Amino acid sequence: MKLDVSVFRSRVARRILLLFGLCALLPITAQAILSFTQVTAHLKEQTQDRLQQSVKSVGMTVFDRLQLYEDILGAIATDLRTGAFNPSRNIVQEVGSSAPRQRFESLALFTGDGQTTVLHGRRTTLPTFLAEEQKHLASGKTVLKVQEEPGRPVRLCLVRLLDFQQPSRGFLVGEIDGDHFWRIIEQEFLPPASEVCVFDSTLRPIRCTAGEPPPDPVVQAIRQATTPIGNFEWKRGKTSLVANFWSLPLQFSFVQPHLVLVLSESREAALGLMAGFKRDFIVLMLVSLLVVILLSLNQIRKSLGPLEKIREGTHRIARKDFATRVEVDSKEEFEEVAGSFNAMADQLDWQFQAMTARADLDRNILSVLDAGKIITTVLTRMRDLLPCDSISITLRDAKDGDPATLHMWDGTSLQGVRRQPVQLGDLELKFLREKPDRVITLDGGLAPSLKPLTASGIKCCLILPILLTQGLPGLIALGYRKQPTLAPDVALQARQLADQVAVALSNAYETAERKQAEASLQESNRQLKEALTELADMQKQVVKQERLRALGQMASGVAHDFNNALSPILGFSSILLEDPLQLDDKDKVLKYLKVINTAGKDAANVVSRLREFYRSRNQEETFRPFDLNQLVEQAVNFTQPKWKDQALAGGLTVRVRTELQKVPNPSGNESEIREVLTNLIFNAVDAMPEGGTITLRTSMKDGRIVLEVSDTGTGMTEEVRQRCLEPFFSTKGDRGTGLGLAMVYGIIQRHKGTIDIQSEYGKGTTFAIGFPLDGDRKWEAVLAVESQASSGRLRVLVVDDDPLTLMVTSECLLSDHHLVETAVNGRDGLQKFQPGKFDLVITDQGMPEMNGLQLAAALKQMAPKVPVMLLTGYGQAMTGEESPPAVDLVVSKPITKSALKDAIAKVMK
């Protein structure tokens, strides 16, 4: 029979073949595995039993021969006592043997006085005996000892008293000839294809036919054994062996605990019958598989041939080949399936043609967003999909009202699409909604809007109502001159097409409305952007006015404070200049100088207030620890013109108290926190029109640093308290912008702080600001180290175009024992500087020809490691920001001797 493998192209055929194969092979395989397991277990059991009997047989043989040697040794002792000792008879000649064999390798007598008599062989030593062995010898019995000497194999020795009634006569020691003792056992009693190993009670190897030393797996298996007899398996190289062991008890006869005998046999020899079983099993499996394949091919060829033809037919349909027929002549159910398949192919052919036409129509109507073009496309192309005598579309002209337009085309008119106004009433639409997709006659009066079609000879129409999402209802009418007979598929196609037209018209109307909405939205966005721009400009102007207002309030008292600071400077200096005799009184001069120095610092503080106020804030500035109590004192001094001078000028008394506890230094922007305090103090002064007391407190509460600003003013109502932090909310009228507290709230939020407002109308207000604790105190440690650093004696180049400042700076350095050289401008300093000549350069910023930053950059190119300190009068405009690249430290003027000393220590550390 010719083997036809073409059917295996089918996955079903391969699956059936696999199923048949599994059904045939699984039971056979399971039975074979079960049989193989049982036979293997049985053979193993038989092998273990056989080896167990063999090892016992060998053990008993060893025991018998030991007893034989014991009897021979006893006979030798008797002969020695009676004087009839004959070495050839007692030692060499074995009874019943044709050839002489040596029983003992050596024989010696050890007397009680320490004398040794060698009776045969080499000289040997007397073993040591345990108490139990001595007792055994005293009873006239023999002791078996295992002797081990370096360079020689382990030997067995038999020891007994020459005369147990006279122990002083000594010990008789016989060393057994191992080759003679074991060779007879191995040749006559050891099973074929097996090997034996003998160990003493401490597992010292005595004899092993497997080679010397005995294999490690054998020793390990005996050590792990918990019974005197057992079995195990081990490997020598790639050979697997089955072994049985037996501990031969010798305690009673020879005081030796036991000898361990291990009998091994190769696994292949023990289970030799399994090889034939495996071979038979493989042959049986191959024969079964061949029979299954032959039977499966025959059945698959008969059953799956028709299925293969039907599968090829489905592939042709997938390639749009609907004309080819599937021919099956099997006189079975497959022939009926083939007939149904051909009928399905005809139906698919018709549907595919219809879908192609509909897809073309859908593409034409859905690709445009103009309602007029959509209507024209439907009227001119729909006849290709749904044969009819005329097509019309009726749509209302507006969302409300009955006026509508009838668009009609009969497919032959040279005028193309005609349009005619009609009335589409609510009753007609209600009827169409209740009974859609049906054929009606135009003479019945059910669709008055379609009466104009009768002029073309149309008698009845298939009505397809459409309802748009915008609320513009309409209908599609397929006109016929005769009553049509429509198949269900035709009605379904018409309904689907009507829905597509509804979607297309809805998209067109929505697109038109969306364009109008987009134009309106763009205009609204333009107006909104203009409004936002105006609002942003207005907000900037208001913020600027707020800052200028606060600056004006502070500046009103700056002149007074500055004149007060200059008065002692000018007064005491004029006294010393106009009356030189006053210089002789050192105490008075020192007193005057201290007052002048303090007044100068006060004048510098007045200028510092303005610097801190107008200084811009860097949004990316890193928060650093600051002394909150010191900041409170500064804020009180900054705002003094507001709460003291202006209040006194207006006849009011405003007192400011500070209750400052020792608190940790919070981290933040010191300038912003100073602005917070300034705003709160200004607001407190404004809230006390009749004067009062402002109290500033610092404390620790609930693990946070708390700053409180309290006043005894008019207080706030609950509504005002709730809204006081809102931007542009103010109760001052034209005197306020409403941005002060809003700025305070924003600054506190940036510092991750909290602000709590407690106020009661008529009883004052308390602002409580909480700062989080900062666990990192490395910044304070750095400042402490910097303030304690010592710079030593330095060579300093001082550059300044102001002679007085140059003189003051030089004198301060000389008083600290530094070596000083001066330059009157930047170019002069550059000419005097030489690498290796100076340890430090101190320069002013504003100088003619070359300013301080330009000089620093030039010096760094000549000597990058020489520090450059910029001593400038621009104040916080430079010292508050990061130092320029070529400058190591920026210090603000005016500067005292101690401040200059600290700055030098910091830059030289």
Side-chain angles (χ1 to χ4, degrees):
M1 182 180 65
K2 184 178 179 180
L3 183 62
D4 184 9
V5 297
S6 61
V7 294
F8 288 103
R9 292 197 300 266
S10 171
R11 287 192 296 270
V12 177
R14 295 194 294 269
R15 192 178 301 117
I16 292 175
L17 179 61
L18 178 61
L19 180 61
F20 283 178
L22 291 177
C23 291
L25 295 180
L26 285 180
I28 299 176
T29 304
Q31 182 65 30
I33 293 174
L34 180 60
S35 301
F36 182 80
T37 304
Q38 292 177 348
V39 171
T40 303
H42 183 65
L43 288 176
K44 284 185 179 179
E45 184 178 355
Q46 285 185 342
T47 301
Q48 295 295 343
D49 292 341
R50 179 171 53 80
L51 289 177
Q52 182 176 340
Q53 295 298 327
S54 299
V55 76
K56 286 185 177 181
S57 177
V58 173
M60 293 306 298
T61 303
V62 172
F63 182 74
D64 291 341
R65 291 191 63 81
L66 286 175
Q67 286 185 331
L68 174 62
Y69 274 67
E70 180 185 13
D71 294 340
I72 295 173
L73 190 64
I76 294 173
T78 302
D79 292 343
L80 288 174
R81 290 196 303 270
T82 60
F85 174 68
N86 183 4
S88 62
R89 178 176 61 85
N90 296 95
I91 299 176
V92 178
Q93 184 64 39
E94 184 175 353
V95 179
S97 177
S98 59
R101 294 183 181 178
Q102 182 175 291
R103 299 189 183 96
F104 292 101
E105 186 177 351
S106 65
L107 187 65
L109 178 63
F110 297 88
T111 61
D113 56 359
Q115 296 296 324
T116 302
T117 302
V118 178
L119 303 177
H120 173 71
R122 65 181 183 84
R123 184 180 183 85
T124 184
T125 59
L126 179 66
T128 57
F129 304 104
L130 302 175
E132 185 179 2
E133 292 174 339
Q134 293 176 0
K135 183 178 179 182
H136 191 77
L137 290 170
S139 64
K141 296 181 180 180
T142 304
V143 173
L144 177 64
K145 297 291 289 185
V146 180
Q147 291 287 86
E148 184 177 10
E149 295 180 6
R152 297 192 64 194
V154 178
R155 308 181 312 282
L156 296 179
C157 294
L158 290 176
V159 184
R160 63 168 295 151
L161 289 174
L162 181 63
D163 186 356
F164 72 93
Q165 294 180 353
Q166 296 180 10
S168 60
R169 296 187 65 180
F171 297 92
L172 182 61
V173 179
E175 181 180 331
I176 298 175
D177 186 352
D179 292 338
H180 177 228
F181 183 87
W182 297 109
R183 185 180 299 111
I184 296 176
I185 296 175
E186 294 169 0
Q187 292 176 354
E188 299 181 5
F189 300 97
L190 189 64
S194 61
E195 54 190 44
V196 67
C197 287
V198 182
F199 303 86
D200 68 351
S201 59
T202 62
L203 296 184
R204 285 183 298 182
I206 299 174
R207 185 74 173 184
C208 188
T209 60
E212 298 291 347
D216 290 337
V218 175
V219 179
Q220 293 296 331
I222 298 174
R223 291 186 185 277
Q224 296 174 1
T226 58
T227 59
I229 189 168
N231 58 80
F232 59 91
E233 295 186 12
W234 61 284
K235 282 190 175 183
R236 182 191 299 116
K238 296 183 179 180
T239 304
S240 298
L241 296 98
V242 180
N244 268 67
F245 67 91
W246 182 38
S247 299
L248 177 62
L250 300 175
Q251 181 69 31
F252 179 75
S253 299
F254 300 100
V255 199
Q256 177 73 17
H258 56 265
L259 293 179
V260 180
L261 288 86
V262 181
L263 186 62
S264 302
E265 185 177 350
S266 67
R267 181 182 178 88
E268 182 179 0
L271 304 178
L273 295 177
M274 293 303 298
F277 180 80
K278 291 181 180 178
R279 182 177 60 256
D280 297 340
F281 172 72
I282 294 174
V283 173
L284 179 60
M285 290 289 291
L286 292 177
V287 172
S288 301
L289 181 62
L290 180 59
V291 173
V292 169
I293 291 176
L294 293 177
L295 295 176
S296 300
L297 283 176
N298 185 43
Q299 186 64 27
I300 291 172
R301 183 171 54 83
K302 291 182 178 180
S303 301
L304 297 186
L307 289 180
E308 179 65 20
K309 293 181 179 180
I310 294 175
R311 185 176 69 86
E312 293 176 355
T314 58
H315 290 168
R316 290 194 297 270
I317 289 179
R319 297 192 297 267
K320 301 179 183 179
D321 180 9
F322 301 100
T324 305
R325 293 286 175 256
V326 175
E327 302 294 339
V328 176
D329 187 12
S330 64
K331 308 301 180 182
E332 295 176 351
E333 288 81 359
F334 291 112
E335 187 172 350
E336 298 179 2
V337 173
S340 300
F341 182 85
N342 293 330
M344 179 190 68
D346 294 337
Q347 182 69 16
L348 288 176
D349 188 15
W350 178 83
Q351 291 184 355
F352 181 77
Q353 297 298 331
M355 289 176 60
T356 303
R358 179 183 170 186
D360 185 53
L361 182 59
D362 291 344
R363 183 170 55 254
N364 290 330
I365 64 176
L366 294 177
S367 60
V368 297
L369 297 175
D370 183 81
K373 293 182 179 179
I374 292 173
I375 293 173
T376 301
T377 301
V378 172
L379 294 178
T380 56
R381 300 293 303 274
M382 196 169 180
R383 287 168 59 92
D384 298 337
L385 180 61
L386 301 173
C388 57
D389 297 324
S390 69
I391 299 177
S392 64
I393 298 177
T394 305
L395 293 176
R396 275 185 169 180
D397 297 335
K399 295 183 179 180
D400 299 324
D402 296 341
T405 301
L406 174 64
H407 308 265
M408 50 187 173
W409 187 60
D410 59 3
T412 58
S413 176
L414 298 178
Q415 297 178 357
V417 178
R418 292 181 295 137
R419 297 173 178 81
Q420 182 174 344
V422 295
Q423 296 292 321
L424 187 59
D426 293 336
L427 293 177
E428 183 176 355
L429 289 175
K430 181 180 180 181
F431 170 76
L432 296 176
R433 289 194 193 99
E434 293 176 350
K435 296 181 179 181
D437 304 343
R438 57 178 298 187
V439 178
I440 63 173
T441 59
L442 298 183
D443 295 336
L446 298 177
S449 63
L450 300 179
K451 278 293 184 180
L453 296 178
T454 58
S456 301
I458 302 301
K459 301 296 183 180
C460 55
C461 292
L462 173 61
I463 305 300
L464 304 171
I466 53 177
L467 295 175
L468 305 182
T469 57
Q470 291 82 2
L472 296 175
L475 60 90
I476 299 175
L478 304 181
Y480 301 94
R481 294 185 174 88
K482 296 180 180 180
Q483 185 70 26
T485 301
L486 301 178
D489 291 342
V490 175
L492 180 61
Q493 291 277 353
R495 177 69 266 166
Q496 293 175 351
L497 183 59
D499 292 339
Q500 290 294 98
V501 173
V503 172
L505 291 175
S506 177
N507 292 338
Y509 290 137
E510 288 180 356
T511 300
E513 293 181 357
R514 185 167 59 251
K515 289 181 179 180
Q516 294 178 357
E518 288 177 356
S520 176
L521 181 61
Q522 290 177 356
E523 178 63 22
S524 299
N525 287 340
R526 185 187 62 79
Q527 296 177 359
L528 180 59
K529 287 182 180 179
E530 293 178 355
L532 289 176
T533 302
E534 294 178 0
L535 180 61
D537 295 340
M538 184 182 299
Q539 183 178 2
K540 291 180 181 179
Q541 186 67 24
V542 170
V543 172
K544 182 177 179 181
Q545 291 177 358
E546 174 67 15
R547 295 181 64 85
L548 290 176
R549 182 184 67 81
L551 179 61
Q553 291 179 354
M554 290 183 59
S556 61
V558 167
H560 176 268
D561 291 346
F562 201 75
N563 289 331
N564 288 342
L566 290 177
S567 295
I569 296 175
L570 296 175
F572 288 115
S573 61
S574 63
I575 292 174
L576 296 176
L577 292 173
E578 295 174 4
D579 189 3
L581 297 178
Q582 298 286 343
L583 297 175
D584 296 334
D585 190 347
K586 293 183 179 181
D587 293 337
K588 182 179 291 186
V589 172
L590 183 61
K591 178 180 179 181
Y592 287 172
L593 290 176
K594 289 182 179 180
V595 173
I596 292 172
N597 182 266
T598 301
K601 292 180 179 179
D602 291 342
N605 288 334
V606 172
V607 178
S608 173
R609 299 176 197 173
L610 295 179
R611 291 173 180 166
E612 290 294 335
F613 189 83
Y614 68 70
R615 174 176 171 242
S616 62
R617 292 159 181 78
N618 186 359
Q619 296 296 331
E620 298 181 357
E621 185 176 4
T622 303
F623 285 175
R624 296 178 175 177
F626 61 90
D627 190 338
L628 182 60
N629 291 338
Q630 181 179 355
L631 199 64
V632 171
E633 297 288 354
Q634 292 177 1
V636 172
N637 293 331
F638 291 164
T639 58
Q640 181 175 338
K642 174 77 173 180
W643 59 264
K644 182 177 180 181
D645 302 336
Q646 292 184 11
L648 290 176
L652 303 177
T653 300
V654 177
R655 293 179 297 276
V656 176
R657 296 190 307 168
T658 57
E659 299 176 2
L660 307 179
Q661 300 181 12
K662 188 175 180 180
V663 296
N665 292 343
S667 293
N669 187 311
E670 188 174 350
S671 177
E672 290 188 347
I673 302 302
R674 185 182 294 108
E675 185 172 350
V676 168
L677 287 170
T678 302
N679 274 283
L680 293 179
I681 293 174
F682 283 173
N683 281 348
V685 173
D686 293 339
M688 297 187 298
E690 298 180 0
T693 302
I694 301 174
T695 304
L696 292 91
R697 305 182 185 89
T698 58
S699 61
M700 290 291 299
K701 292 182 181 179
D702 299 330
R704 297 179 71 85
I705 306 170
V706 179
L707 168 64
E708 295 182 357
V709 180
S710 303
D711 64 69
T712 59
T714 58
M716 295 182 287
T717 63
E718 181 62 22
E719 180 182 359
V720 174
R721 189 185 73 85
Q722 293 289 343
R723 299 187 58 194
C724 65
L725 299 179
E726 296 179 6
F728 305 107
F729 176 79
S730 176
T731 58
K732 301 178 183 179
D734 295 338
R735 295 183 298 108
T737 62
L739 292 177
L741 289 180
M743 294 171 63
V744 169
Y745 180 64
I747 292 172
I748 298 303
Q749 277 192 324
R750 286 196 297 274
H751 285 72
K752 300 186 183 303
T754 59
I755 182 168
D756 181 49
I757 305 173
Q758 301 293 333
S759 182
E760 186 176 351
Y761 188 72
K763 295 185 179 181
T765 303
T766 298
F767 286 83
I769 299 172
F771 295 96
L773 284 176
D774 184 8
D776 189 0
R777 290 292 175 262
K778 295 181 180 179
W779 177 260
E780 296 177 1
V782 170
L783 293 179
V785 171
E786 291 174 353
S787 64
Q788 298 173 3
S790 176
S791 59
R793 189 175 185 182
L794 303 174
R795 296 168 296 176
V796 185
L797 174 63
V798 181
V799 184
D800 201 313
D801 63 331
D802 186 356
L804 292 179
T805 303
L806 185 63
M807 180 181 66
V808 171
T809 305
S810 300
E811 291 297 329
C812 290
L813 293 171
L814 290 172
S815 65
D816 278 341
H817 309 291
H818 295 299
L819 301 178
V820 180
E821 185 170 344
T822 61
V824 297
N825 54 46
R827 191 170 299 281
D828 185 25
L830 184 62
Q831 293 175 354
K832 291 183 177 181
F833 180 82
Q834 295 179 6
K837 182 178 180 180
F838 296 101
D839 301 316
L840 174 65
V841 176
I842 301 176
T843 178
D844 186 23
Q845 165 59 13
M847 295 182 295
E849 298 185 13
M850 177 182 287
N851 61 28
L853 293 179
Q854 294 171 342
L855 174 62
L859 295 179
K860 284 296 182 180
Q861 292 181 355
M862 299 172 62
K865 295 184 178 181
V866 176
V868 177
M869 183 190 303
L870 189 67
L871 188 63
T872 175
Y874 289 103
Q876 300 297 333
M878 296 185 67
T879 58
E881 307 296 338
E882 184 178 356
S883 299
V887 175
D888 297 282
L889 183 65
V890 178
V891 182
S892 178
K893 292 180 181 179
I895 189 170
T896 62
K897 177 183 176 182
S898 59
L900 181 60
K901 183 177 181 179
D902 291 342
I904 294 175
K906 182 178 181 181
V907 79
M908 296 299 296
K909 74 177 179 67

